[in-house]
Every structure is written in C-alpha cells, then in structure tokens.
C-alpha cells in the first residue's frame, strides 16, 4: 500500500512539474526596466558651460558628400556630444555655416558658433530635433578653428540632457 501511494505521489509531482516546466518554457521573459536614456543637468547662470554638455546636430546643405559627418566628428573631438547628422531639409538660405536657433545669445549656441572659422549666420529653426544645437553646413564651409574654446560662462541657466551609457 505504501508503495502504491509513493508511486501515485511521484506521478502527481511529475505531472505538475511537467506542466510548470512547459509554462516556463513558453512564457515571455519579463520586460527589463526601462533605462534612462539621458541625465538632466543644469548649468546655472555665471557657471561654466562646457562642450561635453552640448549636443550638436549637423546637416549638410553643400554638394560635398559626407560633410555633415566630418563636421560632427570634428566637433566631437572638441568635446561636443554628437547628435543627428544627415542632409539638410532646411529652407534656410545655405551659408557656409548657419545655426538654426530662436536665440543667438543662448550660451550653447555661442559655444558652438565659436568653433567655426567661417562667419556664422543664424536662422529660425525649421528642422525638428530632440535635443541640442542645429547646424547647417553649406558650400562655402572651410574648417573649424584650430584652437577653439571648450567652455563659456553661461549668461542664463542652461538645462541639457546628457546621454547615459550603460556599461555591462
């Protein structure tokens, strides 16, 4: 009798274990918690705004292929955060360098404008980007300055979103 009860109990455990195993095998894994893509930082008026807190988005309005990418790489060498790159869809009149902004006195815009050897023009933004300063490079673009500044004193409070990189 004890042997029969042991066999029945073993069979029940086997069936329940098999059902649980199949459910776990077919179940979707739990969704990982959504990681923050960026960390908000604020630079108070009067403090230094450094290039590593400014994202630049570079768009090519010239006939030179890959110019936006080259300018973006060179700006990253100066410490700026790389943003979007591509061909320009802006209706702004192509100049050697045009920054699309509503506020030419914004400290981020001043810091980016100081990187260029060419005269920088300003135009009303007509390209939507998530974050940062929008630059349109035209045919007359020559180069970035050899020794450019890497920081400015913020004339107003500046809030930026610095990307967070998760390390394994």
């Amino acid at each position: 009798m004890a042997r029969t009860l042991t066999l029945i109990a073993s069979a029940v455990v086997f069936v329940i274990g098999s059902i649980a195993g199949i459910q776990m095998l077919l179940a979707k894994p739990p969704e990982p918690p959504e990681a923050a893509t960026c960390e908000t930082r604020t630079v108070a008026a009067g403090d230094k705004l450094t290039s590593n807190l400014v994202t630049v988005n570079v768009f090519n309005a010239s006939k030179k292929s890959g110019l936006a990418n080259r300018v973006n790489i060179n700006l990253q060498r100066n410490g700026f955060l790389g943003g979007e790159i591509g061909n320009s869809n802006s209706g702004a009149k192509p100049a050697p360098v045009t920054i699309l902004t509503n506020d030419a006195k914004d400290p981020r815009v001043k810091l980016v404008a100081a990187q260029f050897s060419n005269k920088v023009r300003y135009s009303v933004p007509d390209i939507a980007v998530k974050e940062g300063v929008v630059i349109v490079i035209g045919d007359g673009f020559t180069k970035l300055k050899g020794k450019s500044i890497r920081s400015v004193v913020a004339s107003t409070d500046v809030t930026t979103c610095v990307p967070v990189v998760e390390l394994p």
Side-chain angles (χ1 to χ4, degrees), residues 127-138:
I127 297 175
V129 295
K130 291 180 185 175
E131 171 82 18
V133 177
V134 179
I135 307 162
V136 178
I137 303 296

Side-chain angles (χ1 to χ4, degrees), residues 39-122:
E39 179 181 310
T40 303
R41 294 201 186 156
T42 301
V43 176
D47 289 345
K48 275 188 176 183
L49 173 68
T50 56
S51 59
N52 66 337
L53 296 176
V54 179
T55 301
V56 289
N57 303 284
V58 185
F59 296 97
N60 188 359
S62 77
K63 295 174 186 159
K64 296 177 186 174
S65 179
L67 185 59
N69 187 42
R70 285 190 294 267
V71 170
N72 193 315
I73 289 169
N74 288 331
L75 287 169
Q76 287 180 47
R77 286 183 181 149
N78 289 350
F80 289 91
L81 301 171
E84 295 180 37
I85 58 170
N87 292 324
S88 176
N89 295 326
S90 175
K93 180 181 176 187
V97 179
T98 302
I99 296 180
L100 303 181
T101 181
N102 289 319
D103 182 9
K105 294 180 181 179
D106 182 321
R108 293 170 291 192
V109 172
K110 285 183 174 182
L111 184 57
V112 171
Q115 307 304 305
F116 295 96
S117 295
N118 298 93
K119 182 179 180 196
V120 176
R121 293 187 186 167
Y122 302 95

Side-chain angles (χ1 to χ4, degrees), residues 101-168:
T101 181
N102 289 319
D103 182 9
K105 294 180 181 179
D106 182 321
R108 293 170 291 192
V109 172
K110 285 183 174 182
L111 184 57
V112 171
Q115 307 304 305
F116 295 96
S117 295
N118 298 93
K119 182 179 180 196
V120 176
R121 293 187 186 167
Y122 302 95
S123 185
V124 176
D126 61 350
I127 297 175
V129 295
K130 291 180 185 175
E131 171 82 18
V133 177
V134 179
I135 307 162
V136 178
I137 303 296
D139 283 318
F141 171 76
T142 53
K143 62 182 180 176
L144 296 178
K145 289 181 181 175
K147 289 191 175 188
S148 57
I149 62 172
R150 303 264 176 131
S151 66
V152 294
V153 175
S155 55
T156 60
D157 288 352
V158 176
T159 301
T160 62
C161 193
V162 180
V164 174
V165 178
E166 292 286 329
L167 297 176

